[in-house]
Amino acid sequence: METGKKLSCKSVLAITMCVVMLMATACSKQEAQGGNEKDSNGAYKDKLKISVASTLQLKDGQLDNEFHKFWMDKFNLDWDYNFVEWDSWGEKLRLWINSGDLPDVATWNYIHGDAMNYIDQGLFYKFPDDWKERWPNVAAAYKLTGLGDKLEEMKGGTYLLPRPVYYDNKPADPLTNQIGVIALRKDWAKAVGFELKDVYTTKELMTFAKLVKEKDPGKVGSKLVPISYNAADALTNIIMPNSEHAKVESAFYKGDDGKYHWGPADPETLTGLKLMQESYKEGLLNPEFYTWKNNEGNDNFRVKGAAAVTSIGGLASFRTDVDTNMKKNLNIESDEVVQTAIVLGEDGKYRNLEQANFWSALIFSPNISTEKFERVMDLLDYSTSKDGQMLLNMGFEGKDWKYDDNKELVSLLPEGKTLDDLYPARFEGLYLLGDDFSMINPAIKKEYRDRAVLHFKEKAKLGKEGGRLAEYDWTVQLYDSKVKNQATFDYEKEYTNLILQSGDLEANWKKWVDSKQSLVQPVLDELNNLK
């Protein structure tokens, strides 16, 4: 059959519409990639301004160095940086999230119940389904957190990036929280005849503090702070060594009887409270310790030289910080005067929290453009690669570090200088936490790195051999309900108020436990009835 040689007006219109639709489709695809096209040299053509929020303080002019310039040039972006005070971190992010004012990308102290609500309300950006194929370095680190896979099962997609604590350099198994490591003045210990060890009970540290208070070997006088803990440190290093379920992370737990319990009501918590109160009444803790913020407790030790004991945590980078501050502020070589140690309970058992391999999370504004999201993810993927990690943690090869003839990393930083001195506020390492690289970082003294690993291995050993590690219970951690959200307490303040109250501590503690039962018991009932 011969077709007509002329097209009807209807046919012409249909063809025209098809062409328009094809052009529109092509344009839409081009727009989806718009802003992230690269030139022949692989550089991004368009500059993007991206807002970011973090707890790392950035002062005026600190972006004006070659480190930050490298990242901004490589990814052709300008940062609109928003500093969040540590003490107002949770509140600030909550306001931003609920008001729709969240910066393009932000670090957030992950709270599971809030995360579920925010996701349901569409307040977090939903990742594309194929994101793991496009950004494999981020995906590999993300998988190690455990939380990422759990959230995907619950929500059917990815809405945030839990931040891995360890990637390639996990120090021990089981992995315990880095908390529970203290520093003491070993020169003062020798002066008062106190034995130096790698592990102390809480009472032994109090004994040392009393000797220092009595003899004042450092000639500090009225400025002396025998045990320089703030409220959080006192919970970590006095109460928790005696009660592994006294902290919020492990307060609800499954006991040997197969039922769930509330740790603050355990007699072991009372043991820790009695020791904390004794420390306060004996003048070992500062009279105003519970008002201290941030580093005030540590500063008495490393800056003022007025403390016998302080809490520093178990990372080698923390020990480096003590060393740097003592040299700078006290003109003291810390290796000559500082001993680090693990804290045990009064029964000689080691207690801590099993460490889930994540802390905090990266979240993206639901209003972030596709172009900005992809640009940030490109940056994160590079930052998680080996080259990116070397840059973030070591600086520039040939200038700040090199490989020696044995292919070992060698820092080229000037004596007494750290990477933070040269390149402050290196917030571009937004994803993988610095704990991982601190295990191998040659900019940190080998002695400090070895000591940190020793503490981690000793914690794991003590935890397995008769210790009491609080299991990271995914059932509890990922269980969300109205009653569980209502049973949220600021344990640091609660415990401090108890030890400051007049009257008998045990009686006050029992009244306090009873007063919380209307909130606690419904949570226990729900957990015990889970199938």
Side-chain angles (χ1 to χ4, degrees):
M1 178 179 176
E2 185 177 353
T3 58
K5 295 191 189 268
K6 291 185 179 180
L7 296 173
S8 67
C9 290
K10 187 180 289 187
S11 297
V12 171
L13 179 60
I15 291 171
T16 302
M17 290 179 67
C18 288
V19 171
V20 170
M21 290 176 67
L22 286 169
M23 291 177 65
T25 301
C27 288
S28 67
K29 287 182 178 179
Q30 186 176 12
E31 288 172 357
Q33 297 171 354
N36 284 317
E37 297 93 346
K38 296 183 179 181
D39 61 23
S40 58
N41 296 317
Y44 297 92
K45 290 182 178 179
D46 297 330
K47 177 168 284 189
L48 298 178
K49 187 171 186 177
I50 297 173
S51 56
V52 59
S54 170
T55 55
L56 289 177
Q57 189 167 12
L58 181 68
K59 299 178 181 178
D60 289 344
Q62 287 187 333
L63 283 178
D64 301 330
N65 61 61
E66 61 181 311
F67 181 87
H68 289 293
K69 188 174 185 300
F70 170 89
W71 292 92
M72 290 186 284
D73 288 351
K74 181 175 178 63
F75 295 95
N76 199 11
L77 57 81
D78 280 333
W79 289 116
D80 175 13
Y81 188 76
N82 299 269
F83 167 59
V84 184
E85 290 279 1
W86 185 269
D87 293 334
S88 60
W89 186 18
E91 179 183 359
K92 187 76 170 178
L93 268 291
R94 188 176 300 112
L95 288 172
W96 277 341
I97 293 167
N98 284 302
S99 64
D101 293 326
L102 187 66
D104 293 322
V105 59
T107 56
W108 175 56
N109 192 13
Y110 182 84
I111 300 173
H112 182 69
D114 288 349
M116 296 296 97
N117 292 332
Y118 295 152
I119 291 171
D120 289 342
Q121 295 175 57
L123 298 177
F124 289 163
Y125 182 85
K126 187 178 188 302
F127 287 38
D129 292 340
D130 64 348
W131 75 267
K132 294 177 183 176
E133 287 72 42
R134 179 163 176 180
W135 297 289
N137 293 320
V138 176
Y142 166 92
K143 187 169 184 60
L144 294 179
T145 67
L147 178 61
D149 289 342
K150 296 282 185 182
L151 293 179
E152 287 181 24
E153 292 172 10
M154 300 175 75
K155 292 301 179 182
T158 305
Y159 293 86
L160 55 84
L161 295 174
R163 302 177 69 202
V165 180
Y166 295 103
Y167 188 26
D168 291 325
N169 302 297
K170 184 179 177 181
D173 190 24
L175 180 63
T176 58
N177 198 302
Q178 57 85 12
I179 60 177
V181 175
I182 57 90
L184 61 81
R185 287 292 296 262
K186 66 181 180 182
D187 54 334
W188 294 2
K190 292 175 182 177
V192 300
F194 184 74
E195 183 183 1
L196 292 174
K197 299 191 297 182
D198 294 330
V199 177
Y200 292 103
T201 66
T202 41
K203 196 77 171 180
E204 285 176 323
L205 290 174
M206 290 169 60
T207 298
F208 170 53
K210 289 176 183 178
L211 289 170
V212 170
K213 185 172 183 281
E214 176 187 343
K215 300 182 179 181
D216 191 11
K219 309 302 180 188
V220 181
S222 61
K223 296 180 181 179
L224 178 65
V225 184
I227 299 178
S228 193
Y229 295 161
N230 61 22
D233 297 331
L235 170 52
T236 295
N237 298 296
I238 299 178
I239 296 178
M240 197 198 74
N242 294 283
S243 179
E244 70 274 20
H245 296 294
K247 284 175 68 72
V248 65
E249 296 91 338
S250 59
F252 292 101
Y253 71 98
K254 182 178 283 189
D256 295 337
D257 58 1
K259 296 181 179 180
Y260 279 95
H261 301 266
W262 186 52
D266 292 345
E268 292 86 354
T269 299
L270 177 60
T271 299
L273 285 167
K274 287 180 177 179
L275 291 166
M276 183 174 167
Q277 186 180 69
E278 181 183 342
S279 297
Y280 183 73
K281 287 185 173 181
E282 293 282 344
L284 307 180
L285 293 171
N286 185 277
E288 298 182 350
F289 80 97
Y290 51 88
T291 67
W292 288 346
K293 304 293 184 184
N294 297 328
N295 292 320
E296 288 185 77
N298 297 131
D299 283 350
N300 286 317
F301 188 90
R302 62 183 185 168
V303 175
K304 299 177 182 178
V309 178
T310 196
S311 175
I312 67 167
L315 300 182
S317 56
F318 298 160
R319 180 63 182 86
T320 298
D321 181 67
V322 170
D323 184 65
T324 301
N325 273 281
M326 281 192 150
K327 286 178 181 175
K328 178 180 178 181
N329 297 288
L330 302 171
N331 196 28
I332 290 177
E333 290 292 334
S334 71
D335 293 355
E336 299 176 3
V337 301
V338 174
Q339 170 90 350
T340 59
I342 299 169
V343 188
L344 303 178
E346 281 315 286
D347 56 4
K349 293 183 178 180
Y350 176 70
R351 294 172 174 83
N352 201 332
L353 311 173
E354 278 193 4
Q355 175 71 59
N357 193 32
F358 77 92
W359 177 78
S360 72
L362 280 188
I363 53 176
F364 294 82
S365 166
N367 302 316
I368 190 174
S369 67
T370 300
E371 295 78 21
K372 288 185 178 181
F373 171 77
E374 291 177 349
R375 190 73 62 88
V376 173
M377 290 297 289
D378 286 349
L379 181 150
L380 294 179
D381 204 62
Y382 176 75
S383 78
T384 313
S385 70
K386 182 176 180 180
D387 288 346
Q389 282 293 294
M390 291 301 295
L391 179 63
L392 283 168
N393 295 288
M394 295 293 295
F396 296 98
E397 185 174 7
K399 177 177 182 286
D400 303 315
W401 65 275
K402 68 175 183 178
Y403 286 113
D404 65 16
D405 294 338
N406 297 318
K407 299 299 182 181
E408 296 289 335
L409 285 173
V410 177
S411 173
L412 300 177
L413 297 182
E415 180 69 27
K417 290 288 185 180
T418 68
L419 210 60
D420 285 325
D421 294 326
L422 300 180
Y423 315 120
R426 292 171 288 119
F427 62 85
E428 284 91 349
L430 284 167
Y431 189 44
L432 181 59
L433 297 181
D435 306 40
D436 183 70
F437 198 84
S438 72
M439 294 294 158
I440 63 170
N441 190 345
I444 298 173
K445 279 187 179 181
K446 187 176 186 302
E447 292 84 355
Y448 299 166
R449 287 185 278 131
D450 290 347
R451 185 77 172 169
V453 172
L454 173 68
H455 287 325
F456 273 108
K457 290 187 179 300
E458 189 67 13
K459 288 178 178 183
K461 180 174 180 289
L462 291 169
K464 287 187 289 188
E465 297 177 359
R468 299 183 63 88
L469 298 182
E471 176 186 356
Y472 192 86
D473 187 336
W474 286 105
T475 299
V476 174
Q477 298 300 331
L478 300 186
Y479 180 70
D480 182 44
S481 73
K482 182 178 179 180
V483 297
K484 184 168 182 255
N485 292 335
Q486 289 175 333
T488 301
F489 311 111
D490 187 338
Y491 290 105
E492 297 165 13
K493 290 183 180 179
E494 298 279 359
Y495 294 150
T496 298
N497 289 336
L498 279 171
I499 68 120
L500 295 178
Q501 281 181 28
S502 58
D504 180 69
L505 175 60
E506 184 169 354
N508 291 336
W509 170 71
K510 288 179 178 178
K511 290 178 184 177
W512 175 77
V513 169
D514 289 341
S515 73
K516 301 297 184 185
Q517 288 307 302
S518 62
L519 295 174
V520 168
Q521 191 58 50
V523 182
L524 296 175
D525 291 341
E526 286 188 350
L527 290 171
N528 284 318
N529 287 323
L530 287 176
K531 301 299 182 182

